[in-house]
Amino acid sequence: MMAAEAAAADPVLGKSKAHGVVRHVVKLAQRPGKDVVQPLVFRSNAESRRLLAER
């Protein structure tokens, strides 16, 4: 829970005390050059074992 208290307003709402945290995280996510592209992997048992072996 981002607000750290059950009675707090949803942090996405502009009047929430924790709204600044949401704005900061969105700003960080929008910075260019931080994208990591990973291929989509459809896993089978064999593929899962292969991926585990790579660790």
Side-chain angles (χ1 to χ4, degrees):
M1 183 183 328
M2 197 172 356
E5 58 182 275
D10 186 336
V12 174
L13 301 174
K15 294 183 179 181
S16 170
K17 293 177 186 177
H19 186 67
V21 174
V22 173
R23 290 180 59 133
H24 177 70
V25 169
V26 169
K27 187 176 179 179
L28 289 176
Q30 292 175 337
R31 292 192 315 196
K34 298 293 180 183
D35 296 334
V36 176
V37 178
Q38 296 181 350
L40 183 60
V41 176
F42 294 97
R43 292 190 183 180
S44 62
N45 283 339
E47 184 65 16
S48 292
R49 287 188 177 100
R50 185 187 67 76
L51 291 170
L52 283 173
E54 289 179 1
R55 288 187 179 183

